[in-house]
Amino acid sequence: MKWKKFTVKTITDAEDIIISALYDIGLEGAQIEDKIPLTPLEKEQMFVDILPDGPQDDGIAYLSFFVEDSKEHPVDTDQMLSDIRRELDALRNFMDVGEGTIMVSETEDIDWINNWKEFFHQFYIDDLLVIPSWEEVKPEDRDKKILHIDPGTAFGTGMHETTQLCIRQIKKHITPETQLLDVGTGSGILSIVSLMYGAGHAVGTDLDPCAEEAVRENMEANGISRDSFEMMIGNIITDKAVQDRVGYGRYDIVAANILADVLVPLTPVIQNQLKPGGIYITSGIIDNKEQTVREAVEAAGMKVIETTYQGEWVSITAQKPL
């Protein structure tokens, strides 16, 4: 099997935001090469106490993305390059992405599943244990809430700070009556977790038709009933048919873990889906975009009730007036 490899030369400060932006055009599972020293936690996870001195951090990073290239599904290299350049140019409007050059190469026979197994292990988001299918639940963890999910079969695993920020906020506001709308649902993690913590019903929307299969797999892995989670494909920002199908004034919570540039046009639309007094939870906001999203939320007539932070990412929670 052949794979096209697209490598972006950037700076370490831009790694996370570029990875998130390129998710939107179907590039997932970035391979990161940089010279940032390991943290004490990373050394602990690698069972290493002392490492030999490495090269000095020069601030440069290489982000590589792999796309299957087969006769049935050939890669349109020119189109992919155009899409990557478009995303990088959009990011340049508000941040430094470094050189931003793109290299294309070809490789074969990458064992993705086993490569993921080497790096992805079970972890906690507070009291929630996130575990891949190839690892067993420890006896002492069997009475805990457990989210089963595999990298490579979904859009996200819960490891990213933005997802964790959203999950923590959702847990604060969930009740047994909660009707939740998850915009940009991807793998369905936020909706699945909300149902695990007692929400009454969830609806997810996404632009990518592949999200339907990802959501179905994760629902089955976590024992989520099809009656409790409805999935819709389409652009809720611009497509009134999607807005009508989602419904108006129906939701106690709307969660949107999307980049700030999408949250700004989404917010005035989504307040129509919220019930009076409903909670709007946003994440995916890089720290220097916090004020931009806050202004969009307030301009839509909602009140910011909490702002939380993790790393360089921000979550803004707001409430629609009663």
Side-chain angles (χ1 to χ4, degrees):
M1 185 179 296
K2 292 185 178 181
W3 303 80
K4 281 286 175 67
K5 179 180 178 182
F6 296 87
T7 301
V8 178
K9 184 178 181 181
T10 181
I11 56 175
T12 54
D13 287 344
E15 287 175 3
D16 283 345
I17 190 68
I18 291 177
I19 290 170
S20 294
L22 296 188
Y23 270 9
D24 293 340
I25 60 172
L27 292 176
E28 305 174 40
Q31 173 184 299
I32 303 173
E33 299 174 68
D34 58 33
K35 297 174 184 176
I36 299 176
L38 294 176
T39 66
L41 176 59
E42 288 168 334
K43 291 179 182 179
E44 179 182 334
Q45 291 171 337
M46 293 176 66
F47 304 100
V48 175
D49 293 322
I50 301 174
L51 288 173
D53 291 336
Q56 186 175 357
D57 181 17
D58 56 5
I60 301 298
Y62 295 89
L63 309 178
S64 295
F65 303 84
F66 297 82
V67 182
E68 183 181 344
D69 189 17
S70 63
K71 291 182 179 179
E72 297 79 12
H73 302 286
V75 176
D76 186 336
T77 302
D78 290 340
Q79 183 62 54
M80 184 61 72
L81 285 169
S82 176
D83 291 344
I84 295 172
R85 291 190 183 105
R86 184 188 68 242
E87 295 295 328
L88 292 175
D89 287 343
L91 292 175
R92 283 191 179 96
N93 291 327
F94 63 89
M95 66 179 296
D96 182 9
V97 298
E99 189 173 304
T101 52
I102 310 164
M103 295 166 280
V104 182
S105 57
E106 190 174 276
T107 186
E108 295 188 40
D109 296 328
I110 299 174
D111 189 351
W112 288 110
I113 296 300
N114 287 316
N115 282 353
W116 271 112
K117 287 181 181 180
E118 182 180 353
F119 297 106
F120 182 64
H121 304 288
Q122 56 188 280
F123 66 98
Y124 275 101
I125 304 173
D126 301 331
D127 62 334
L128 176 67
L129 175 62
V130 182
I131 188 168
S133 62
W134 57 84
E135 292 191 356
E136 294 187 4
V137 178
K138 299 173 184 176
E140 62 267 26
D141 290 331
R142 287 175 184 162
D143 61 342
K144 294 181 169 59
K145 289 193 183 298
I146 300 172
L147 175 65
H148 297 273
I149 193 163
D150 286 351
T153 61
F155 296 14
T157 62
M159 293 187 73
H160 200 278
E161 290 96 330
T162 61
T163 309
Q164 296 181 23
L165 284 165
C166 252
I167 288 173
R168 292 190 179 102
Q169 292 305 104
I170 287 172
K171 285 165 56 181
K172 291 178 183 179
H173 297 280
I174 285 289
T175 74
E177 291 76 37
T178 293
Q179 301 289 308
L180 180 135
L181 174 60
D182 178 9
V183 180
T185 193
S187 60
I189 284 181
L190 298 182
S191 292
I192 289 170
V193 169
S194 74
L195 294 166
M196 289 171 59
Y197 279 90
H201 188 264
V203 172
T205 71
D206 203 280
L207 297 175
D208 190 341
C210 294
E212 287 188 297
E213 179 64 16
V215 166
R216 185 192 62 77
E217 290 177 356
N218 288 324
M219 287 174 64
E220 290 178 357
N222 291 282
I224 300 297
S225 164
R226 292 192 178 187
D227 294 337
S228 62
F229 186 4
E230 184 179 1
M231 183 67 202
M232 304 180 189
I233 299 298
N235 190 335
I236 196 171
I237 298 176
T238 59
D239 191 336
K240 190 173 185 302
V242 176
Q243 296 169 14
D244 292 345
R245 187 179 171 200
V246 168
Y248 302 95
R250 290 182 50 188
Y251 298 94
D252 302 282
I253 297 175
V254 172
N257 181 20
I258 310 175
L259 292 176
D261 287 348
V262 181
L263 288 170
V264 171
L266 172 68
T267 298
V269 173
I270 214 63
Q271 61 90 19
N272 296 311
Q273 272 68 41
L274 276 167
K275 293 178 180 177
I279 301 298
Y280 180 41
I281 298 170
T282 68
S283 191
I285 307 163
I286 197 73
D287 50 15
N288 62 12
K289 283 286 191 174
E290 176 184 345
Q291 188 60 30
T292 300
V293 176
R294 179 182 292 271
E295 290 172 359
V297 168
E298 292 173 344
M302 289 182 274
K303 179 182 179 182
V304 175
I305 58 175
E306 188 173 8
T307 305
T308 55
Y309 306 87
Q310 187 170 339
E312 60 186 339
W313 298 96
V314 183
S315 171
I316 294 175
T317 299
Q319 186 170 29
K320 181 177 177 176
L322 289 168

mmCIF file of all heavy atoms in Angstrom, residues 4 20 40 46 50 106 141 147 183 194 198 200 227 234 254 257 315-316 320:
data_model
loop_
_atom_site.group_PDB
_atom_site.id
_atom_site.type_symbol
_atom_site.label_atom_id
_atom_site.label_comp_id
_atom_site.label_asym_id
_atom_site.label_seq_id
_atom_site.Cartn_x
_atom_site.Cartn_y
_atom_site.Cartn_z
ATOM 1 N N LYS A 4 0.910 8.980 0.310
ATOM 2 C CA LYS A 4 1.528 10.275 0.028
ATOM 3 C C LYS A 4 1.792 10.963 1.364
ATOM 4 O O LYS A 4 0.927 10.998 2.241
ATOM 5 C CB LYS A 4 0.610 11.142 -0.825
ATOM 6 C CG LYS A 4 0.628 10.793 -2.300
ATOM 7 C CD LYS A 4 1.913 11.273 -2.961
ATOM 8 C CE LYS A 4 1.998 10.814 -4.428
ATOM 9 N NZ LYS A 4 0.986 11.446 -5.243
ATOM 10 N N SER A 20 -4.750 21.286 14.080
ATOM 11 C CA SER A 20 -6.200 21.438 14.186
ATOM 12 C C SER A 20 -6.800 21.962 12.886
ATOM 13 O O SER A 20 -7.846 21.488 12.431
ATOM 14 C CB SER A 20 -6.549 22.395 15.329
ATOM 15 O OG SER A 20 -6.183 21.853 16.574
ATOM 16 N N PRO A 40 9.222 16.285 32.253
ATOM 17 C CA PRO A 40 9.327 15.201 33.241
ATOM 18 C C PRO A 40 8.229 14.163 33.080
ATOM 19 O O PRO A 40 8.466 12.961 33.229
ATOM 20 C CB PRO A 40 9.220 15.939 34.578
ATOM 21 C CG PRO A 40 9.768 17.304 34.284
ATOM 22 C CD PRO A 40 9.311 17.612 32.897
ATOM 23 N N MET A 46 7.699 7.359 29.290
ATOM 24 C CA MET A 46 8.614 6.555 28.487
ATOM 25 C C MET A 46 9.492 5.671 29.373
ATOM 26 O O MET A 46 10.348 4.934 28.878
ATOM 27 C CB MET A 46 9.519 7.463 27.643
ATOM 28 C CG MET A 46 8.781 8.242 26.574
ATOM 29 S SD MET A 46 9.869 9.368 25.687
ATOM 30 C CE MET A 46 10.951 8.224 24.850
ATOM 31 N N ILE A 50 16.740 9.689 32.759
ATOM 32 C CA ILE A 50 17.792 10.562 32.245
ATOM 33 C C ILE A 50 18.024 10.228 30.778
ATOM 34 O O ILE A 50 18.237 9.074 30.410
ATOM 35 C CB ILE A 50 19.109 10.389 33.027
ATOM 36 C CG1 ILE A 50 18.881 10.711 34.504
ATOM 37 C CG2 ILE A 50 20.204 11.270 32.451
ATOM 38 C CD1 ILE A 50 20.080 10.446 35.381
ATOM 39 N N GLU A 106 6.618 10.027 -1.019
ATOM 40 C CA GLU A 106 5.811 8.813 -1.078
ATOM 41 C C GLU A 106 6.467 7.744 -0.220
ATOM 42 O O GLU A 106 7.693 7.630 -0.164
ATOM 43 C CB GLU A 106 5.690 8.338 -2.530
ATOM 44 C CG GLU A 106 4.676 7.233 -2.743
ATOM 45 C CD GLU A 106 4.505 6.931 -4.221
ATOM 46 O OE1 GLU A 106 3.719 7.631 -4.894
ATOM 47 O OE2 GLU A 106 5.176 5.992 -4.696
ATOM 48 N N ASP A 141 -9.977 -0.257 38.064
ATOM 49 C CA ASP A 141 -10.668 0.766 37.272
ATOM 50 C C ASP A 141 -12.032 0.313 36.767
ATOM 51 O O ASP A 141 -12.730 1.074 36.100
ATOM 52 C CB ASP A 141 -9.810 1.166 36.059
ATOM 53 C CG ASP A 141 -8.578 1.956 36.456
ATOM 54 O OD1 ASP A 141 -8.634 2.649 37.486
ATOM 55 O OD2 ASP A 141 -7.573 1.884 35.731
ATOM 56 N N LEU A 147 -14.461 5.389 28.594
ATOM 57 C CA LEU A 147 -14.719 5.715 27.197
ATOM 58 C C LEU A 147 -13.799 4.860 26.338
ATOM 59 O O LEU A 147 -12.576 4.955 26.441
ATOM 60 C CB LEU A 147 -14.449 7.199 26.933
ATOM 61 C CG LEU A 147 -14.556 7.673 25.485
ATOM 62 C CD1 LEU A 147 -15.986 7.555 24.972
ATOM 63 C CD2 LEU A 147 -14.063 9.110 25.335
ATOM 64 N N VAL A 183 -21.935 20.447 17.733
ATOM 65 C CA VAL A 183 -21.643 20.956 16.387
ATOM 66 C C VAL A 183 -20.194 20.636 16.029
ATOM 67 O O VAL A 183 -19.275 20.983 16.762
ATOM 68 C CB VAL A 183 -21.889 22.477 16.310
ATOM 69 C CG1 VAL A 183 -21.584 22.978 14.901
ATOM 70 C CG2 VAL A 183 -23.328 22.812 16.687
ATOM 71 N N SER A 194 -21.403 12.952 27.120
ATOM 72 C CA SER A 194 -22.560 13.588 27.754
ATOM 73 C C SER A 194 -23.620 12.551 28.101
ATOM 74 O O SER A 194 -24.239 12.603 29.173
ATOM 75 C CB SER A 194 -23.142 14.676 26.852
ATOM 76 O OG SER A 194 -23.851 14.120 25.760
ATOM 77 N N GLY A 198 -25.222 11.066 31.815
ATOM 78 C CA GLY A 198 -26.628 11.176 32.171
ATOM 79 C C GLY A 198 -27.490 12.076 31.329
ATOM 80 O O GLY A 198 -28.661 12.286 31.660
ATOM 81 N N GLY A 200 -30.078 13.337 28.513
ATOM 82 C CA GLY A 200 -31.233 12.636 27.989
ATOM 83 C C GLY A 200 -31.117 12.258 26.532
ATOM 84 O O GLY A 200 -31.530 11.174 26.118
ATOM 85 N N ASP A 227 -31.184 5.313 19.736
ATOM 86 C CA ASP A 227 -32.294 6.208 20.060
ATOM 87 C C ASP A 227 -31.837 7.457 20.810
ATOM 88 O O ASP A 227 -32.539 8.463 20.825
ATOM 89 C CB ASP A 227 -33.337 5.479 20.924
ATOM 90 C CG ASP A 227 -34.017 4.356 20.168
ATOM 91 O OD1 ASP A 227 -34.032 4.417 18.925
ATOM 92 O OD2 ASP A 227 -34.499 3.411 20.822
ATOM 93 N N GLY A 234 -24.084 18.064 7.380
ATOM 94 C CA GLY A 234 -24.411 19.309 6.701
ATOM 95 C C GLY A 234 -23.846 20.499 7.438
ATOM 96 O O GLY A 234 -23.353 20.386 8.567
ATOM 97 N N VAL A 254 -25.435 23.530 23.894
ATOM 98 C CA VAL A 254 -24.804 23.413 22.581
ATOM 99 C C VAL A 254 -23.301 23.439 22.803
ATOM 100 O O VAL A 254 -22.780 24.373 23.435
ATOM 101 C CB VAL A 254 -25.219 24.547 21.628
ATOM 102 C CG1 VAL A 254 -24.387 24.476 20.343
ATOM 103 C CG2 VAL A 254 -26.707 24.473 21.298
ATOM 104 N N ASN A 257 -16.639 22.390 19.657
ATOM 105 C CA ASN A 257 -15.182 22.321 19.782
ATOM 106 C C ASN A 257 -14.595 22.514 18.383
ATOM 107 O O ASN A 257 -14.241 21.557 17.695
ATOM 108 C CB ASN A 257 -14.769 20.974 20.377
ATOM 109 C CG ASN A 257 -13.267 20.855 20.556
ATOM 110 O OD1 ASN A 257 -12.553 21.859 20.600
ATOM 111 N ND2 ASN A 257 -12.779 19.639 20.660
ATOM 112 N N SER A 315 -11.529 27.723 26.566
ATOM 113 C CA SER A 315 -12.939 27.353 26.433
ATOM 114 C C SER A 315 -13.777 28.481 27.033
ATOM 115 O O SER A 315 -13.527 28.905 28.156
ATOM 116 C CB SER A 315 -13.251 26.035 27.142
ATOM 117 O OG SER A 315 -14.644 25.800 27.178
ATOM 118 N N ILE A 316 -14.763 28.963 26.275
ATOM 119 C CA ILE A 316 -15.662 29.997 26.750
ATOM 120 C C ILE A 316 -17.060 29.398 26.879
ATOM 121 O O ILE A 316 -17.593 28.823 25.917
ATOM 122 C CB ILE A 316 -15.694 31.205 25.799
ATOM 123 C CG1 ILE A 316 -14.332 31.912 25.799
ATOM 124 C CG2 ILE A 316 -16.805 32.187 26.178
ATOM 125 C CD1 ILE A 316 -14.213 33.038 24.798
ATOM 126 N N LYS A 320 -27.613 31.735 27.259
ATOM 127 C CA LYS A 320 -28.631 32.505 26.571
ATOM 128 C C LYS A 320 -29.592 33.089 27.597
ATOM 129 O O LYS A 320 -29.980 32.400 28.546
ATOM 130 C CB LYS A 320 -29.378 31.620 25.573
ATOM 131 C CG LYS A 320 -30.454 32.344 24.771
ATOM 132 C CD LYS A 320 -31.085 31.399 23.755
ATOM 133 C CE LYS A 320 -32.203 32.075 22.985
ATOM 134 N NZ LYS A 320 -32.766 31.200 21.941
#
